[in-house]
Amino acid sequence: MSLKLSQQPWLRNLAKQYLGAVLTPLLSQEPAAQLIRQTARQQWRLLAVNLASSLAAIGL
């Protein structure tokens, strides 16, 4: 028996409420939120470069 989010309205509402509370400040146009997004993008780029160079070093 699989639990589908679309079949559980209370679960969907809970997820929406929780994610909304977490994401709303990060999606705003305030300078702090913009800085957080910019830093997150930079960190993901660094992780991708690190992963690629690690894979290249072991010959994959």
Side-chain angles (χ1 to χ4, degrees):
M1 180 171 132
S2 68
L3 178 68
K4 291 189 177 182
L5 197 59
S6 61
Q7 294 175 345
Q8 304 295 328
W10 62 271
L11 186 58
R12 182 181 55 229
N13 290 340
L14 183 64
K16 190 185 300 184
Q17 180 181 3
Y18 176 73
L19 289 176
V22 171
L23 292 178
T24 299
L26 296 176
L27 297 175
S28 73
Q29 293 303 314
E30 294 180 17
Q34 292 176 354
L35 181 60
I36 290 170
R37 289 192 301 270
Q38 179 184 3
T39 304
R41 284 190 295 269
Q42 290 172 346
Q43 293 298 313
W44 278 111
R45 279 188 215 110
L46 287 173
L47 283 170
V49 168
N50 189 2
L51 178 62
S53 64
S54 295
L55 293 174
I58 61 172
L60 290 180

